[in-house]
Amino acid sequence: MDNENKSSNFLRSIILEDLREGKVEEITTRFPPEPNGYLHIGHAKSICLNFGLADEFKGKTNLRFDDTNPVKEDTEYVESIKEDVKWLGFDWDNLFFASDYFAEMHKRAVLLIEKGKAYVCDLSAEEIRKSRGTLTEAGKESPYRNRSVAENLELFERMRQGEFKDGEKVLRAKIDMGSPNINMRDPVLYRIAHATHHNTGDTWCIYPMYDYAHPLEDAIEGITHSICTLEFEDHRPLYDWVVRECEMEHVPHQYEFARLNMTNTVMSKRKLKQLVDEKVVDGWDDPRMPTISGLRRRGYTPEAIRNFAQAIGVARADSVVDSKMLEHFIREDLKLKVSRPMAVIRPLKVVITNYPEGQVERLDADHNKENPEMGKRKIPFSREIYIEQEDFMEVPPPKYHRLYPGNEVRLMDAYFIKCEEVIKDDEGKIIEIRCTYDPETKSGTGFTGRKVKGTIHWVEATQAVPAEFRLYEPLIQDDGAEEEGKTFLDHINPNSLEIRQGFVEPYMKEAKPQDKFQFPRHGYFNVDPNYTTPESLVLNLIVSLKSSFVI
């Protein structure tokens, strides 16, 4: 793909300097997701960054799955991640799994033991945590820290052979329990997990920890710029220690950037999985979810997401991005691309009493008035139509220019109609409006006899296509910050989904999943790929037409 995501940021400056000074001949980046959930919009920023920088400097990007925890990983997540990266418009130069390197990682762990840089520890996870100390208090050495090299080699091999239970022993780095950086206080390198791995099966029952595995993966693959988020900044000394003490031929370097935080948006895979598991949503691709698959199903385009990632840029300081900024970019991307048929979401029937019974005429309408090259469409018009309930009021407030008794409005791309009578049911609810039309006011004829202040949209009733409209609000009412005694689930918006049954123009009968449209006054909509069938059209609200947000 063409590189449209050039970023004037500190990472770009670093790469330019490295190339200019000959520190690297070719940059190699990687996108290293853990296959323990679906990717979200924050990962999209990282994807665009890693692939975009490699594209710009004619380098390479690896897609690597950090699959070091068999308990939480699944091939479903692997396939979804591949699909998301491809859909965003990127392709990897190499596809790797951390598990491809398990034998090499084990070999390097043995080297650390032989060098006296690692030991087998019998403390429990809780005991290790307590012995680590605090930011102001040094840690306490494990009573097993000074085992001999021979004993550590024997115990580690017995761990490898499956002689011990989960949690019974771990392999720890031997660094400095008094280090001001808690990550350097003898971190765990390997733990026991008698679990079947999605890629290696039951070959292994010991698995490397992320902080040990990740730098080795980067070194093995020849990564030049290992780009990660700011929470790993304090882990960088350990990253460098592992590469150095494991005597890796290639020495990668880690660079940190601020992760994406957005208003009204959960950016944690653990919490997103909880939403799925507790059926708050109907899956990882629920259109309310900030997952890439959820955004895709809702109707977002890869172009909009890439442009959003480019606009927010890359910084060293944490900040919060207004979610309306992402909405801005989908509007900008779709406004000249999609057709603008009419849709009625809350239908109110209108009978035009002076229009000939049984007659249906076909009117011309532009697909998109801002893009004449899209051509025209035909829309039927007859004695019976549907309008929006909100476009009629029996007793209107001041400056209400839509339909009310005695008032005249223009039907979009059709005629003037005037309200003559209101029909109600036994409970007093309005069920039908009776109007007359003026045949001289047909749109496109140049009629100038008089003007009306209101124009409303409509759908002809006899040929209208029934449709289900799914209207969305943010899933989280605010930032979801967890207060005492509450969790982020207490911030779920009960009105995040509203389902309405309405009608669209008959030409939309041929609409296919993922087709997108702009409906006048309502917003942009996407044909839902999960629920739409040949007999049932389901439309997801992508975004409203307007926003107060200014970029």
Side-chain angles (χ1 to χ4, degrees):
M1 57 171 289
D2 292 334
N3 176 40
E4 58 191 57
N5 290 317
K6 290 187 177 180
S7 302
S8 178
N9 55 59
F10 73 97
L11 286 172
R12 188 167 180 267
S13 299
I14 289 170
I15 293 172
L16 280 170
E17 183 176 348
D18 288 347
L19 290 169
R20 186 167 52 246
E21 295 182 359
K23 293 180 181 178
V24 297
E25 294 182 5
E26 178 186 59
I27 78 158
T28 304
T29 63
R30 82 290 173 270
F31 175 61
E34 296 176 66
N36 58 0
Y38 281 59
L39 301 183
H40 56 62
I41 186 65
H43 296 109
K45 174 183 177 180
S46 181
I47 292 169
C48 292
L49 177 60
N50 279 284
F51 282 90
L53 286 171
D55 284 352
E56 180 177 351
F57 294 102
K58 298 179 171 54
K60 296 178 180 177
T61 302
N62 296 339
L63 173 61
R64 180 213 303 149
F65 291 95
D66 265 321
D67 56 344
T68 59
N69 187 354
V71 176
K72 295 184 178 181
E73 295 159 358
D74 196 284
T75 52
E76 174 192 351
Y77 302 137
V78 170
E79 295 307 314
S80 74
I81 290 168
K82 290 181 186 176
E83 181 182 4
D84 288 346
V85 173
K86 290 273 192 182
W87 178 76
L88 279 172
F90 299 103
D91 198 1
W92 47 88
D93 291 278
N94 298 287
L95 175 64
F96 294 123
F97 291 83
S99 53
D100 295 337
Y101 313 131
F102 279 174
E104 181 67 20
M105 292 175 186
H106 177 265
K107 172 185 169 183
R108 301 290 171 166
V110 171
L111 174 63
L112 290 176
I113 295 172
E114 291 174 340
K115 292 172 63 174
K117 299 290 185 177
Y119 63 96
V120 174
C121 183
D122 296 4
L123 295 180
S124 69
E126 180 62 19
E127 289 171 331
I128 291 175
R129 187 189 65 78
K130 288 181 178 179
S131 71
R132 280 243 170 95
T134 66
L135 293 174
T136 57
E137 202 174 286
K140 296 179 180 179
E141 292 187 358
S142 165
Y144 309 100
R145 195 173 195 264
N146 295 314
R147 279 173 163 157
S148 69
V149 169
E151 185 180 3
N152 282 320
L153 287 172
E154 178 193 0
L155 288 172
F156 189 52
E157 177 58 23
R158 290 173 65 190
M159 287 171 60
R160 164 79 177 85
Q161 295 300 326
E163 292 187 26
F164 304 113
K165 298 176 183 177
D166 291 4
E168 194 172 344
K169 296 183 188 298
V170 295
L171 182 70
R172 295 176 68 178
K174 193 174 185 178
I175 308 179
D176 181 4
M177 291 303 292
S179 172
N181 186 334
I182 292 178
N183 294 298
M184 300 298 281
R185 297 178 186 175
D186 292 10
V188 174
L189 304 181
Y190 268 89
R191 80 284 199 195
I192 300 169
H194 291 275
T196 300
H197 190 280
H198 75 95
N199 204 24
T200 60
D202 296 318
T203 302
W204 297 89
C205 63
I206 56 170
Y207 291 95
M209 302 299 289
Y210 179 87
D211 276 348
Y212 172 70
H214 191 77
L216 293 181
E217 296 156 24
D218 285 347
I220 292 167
E221 294 176 15
I223 301 302
T224 59
H225 296 77
S226 180
I227 303 167
C228 60
T229 46
L230 278 176
E231 65 262 34
F232 290 100
E233 185 172 24
D234 289 341
H235 296 244
R236 195 198 311 162
L238 178 56
Y239 180 102
D240 294 339
W241 184 93
V242 170
V243 173
R244 181 177 65 253
E245 297 299 339
C246 286
E247 301 178 12
M248 303 305 293
E249 180 179 353
H250 176 80
V251 180
H253 295 278
Q254 176 177 300
Y255 302 91
E256 304 87 16
F257 70 97
R259 66 184 300 165
L260 174 62
N261 297 298
M262 287 175 61
T263 58
N264 302 104
T265 307
V266 173
M267 302 290 272
S268 158
K269 271 198 287 188
R270 177 183 61 82
K271 291 179 179 179
L272 293 175
K273 188 174 188 300
Q274 188 176 351
L275 291 172
V276 174
D277 291 344
E278 298 189 20
K279 301 190 185 307
V280 176
V281 295
D282 69 0
W284 285 97
D285 67 345
D286 187 299
R288 293 167 291 179
M289 293 278 272
T291 54
I292 297 175
S293 57
L295 292 167
R296 178 166 60 244
R297 180 178 164 196
R298 183 152 175 177
Y300 278 79
T301 62
E303 294 86 354
I305 294 175
R306 293 200 305 268
N307 291 339
F308 168 72
Q310 168 64 16
I312 60 178
V314 180
R316 286 279 298 162
D318 280 323
S319 61
V320 179
V321 176
D322 193 328
S323 57
K324 290 183 175 61
M325 187 175 182
L326 178 59
E327 295 177 353
H328 165 81
F329 282 101
I330 188 61
R331 289 190 192 95
E332 287 298 300
D333 186 52
L334 293 182
K335 67 180 181 181
L336 299 180
K337 289 182 178 179
V338 300
S339 180
R340 301 178 180 182
M342 291 184 282
V344 174
I345 294 179
R346 298 170 179 83
L348 174 62
K349 193 169 188 178
V350 174
V351 176
I352 303 171
T353 56
N354 63 331
Y355 194 89
E357 289 193 44
Q359 177 176 308
V360 178
E361 63 177 303
R362 300 180 68 79
L363 307 174
D364 287 324
D366 293 310
H367 273 293
N368 187 326
K369 284 183 169 61
E370 291 187 66
N371 184 3
E373 292 182 3
M374 292 186 67
K376 294 184 178 292
R377 69 188 193 279
K378 293 287 187 180
I379 51 176
F381 182 81
S382 73
R383 179 183 174 90
E384 297 182 359
I385 63 172
Y386 293 113
I387 65 170
E388 293 288 350
Q389 292 177 14
E390 66 183 45
D391 284 342
F392 175 82
M393 294 190 73
E394 194 170 16
V395 183
K399 297 184 179 180
Y400 182 82
H401 299 307
R402 300 176 197 173
L403 202 57
Y404 54 87
N407 192 43
E408 192 173 40
V409 299
R410 172 177 286 284
L411 296 177
M412 189 177 293
D413 294 311
Y415 299 94
F416 290 8
I417 61 169
K418 181 178 181 181
C419 178
E420 307 286 358
E421 186 180 1
V422 179
I423 308 299
K424 301 180 181 179
D425 61 16
D426 293 340
E427 297 178 354
K429 179 182 177 182
I430 298 172
I431 57 173
E432 184 179 298
I433 304 298
R434 293 186 178 171
C435 297
T436 54
Y437 89 116
D438 183 344
E440 294 184 359
T441 60
K442 184 176 181 179
S443 180
T445 60
F447 174 79
T448 58
R450 62 185 184 281
K451 294 183 178 180
V452 291
K453 291 185 176 180
T455 298
I456 63 175
H457 61 276
W458 55 280
V459 174
E460 195 273 334
T462 64
Q463 298 181 37
V465 175
E468 178 177 291
F469 297 87
R470 294 181 160 241
L471 311 177
Y472 299 105
E473 293 181 6
L475 183 60
I476 304 297
Q477 288 177 313
D478 51 29
D479 64 1
E482 295 184 15
E483 304 162 16
E484 187 176 350
K486 292 186 177 182
T487 72
F488 81 103
L489 293 176
D490 293 304
H491 294 269
I492 296 295
N493 179 4
N495 302 314
S496 63
L497 170 62
E498 179 185 4
I499 298 177
R500 289 282 178 174
Q501 305 298 325
F503 299 97
V504 293
E505 292 180 21
Y507 104 91
M508 285 191 62
K509 192 179 297 183
E510 306 302 319
K512 299 178 179 60
Q514 298 296 134
D515 283 352
K516 296 162 183 57
F517 303 90
Q518 184 200 110
F519 297 139
R521 299 230 321 270
H522 292 306
Y524 292 93
F525 283 76
N526 185 57
V527 179
D528 187 272
N530 290 16
Y531 294 145
T532 294
T533 68
E535 296 76 33
S536 177
L537 179 61
V538 179
L539 293 150
N540 295 323
L541 173 66
I542 307 171
V543 65
S544 61
L545 286 180
K546 295 181 180 179
S547 170
S548 58
F549 178 81
V550 178
I551 192 167

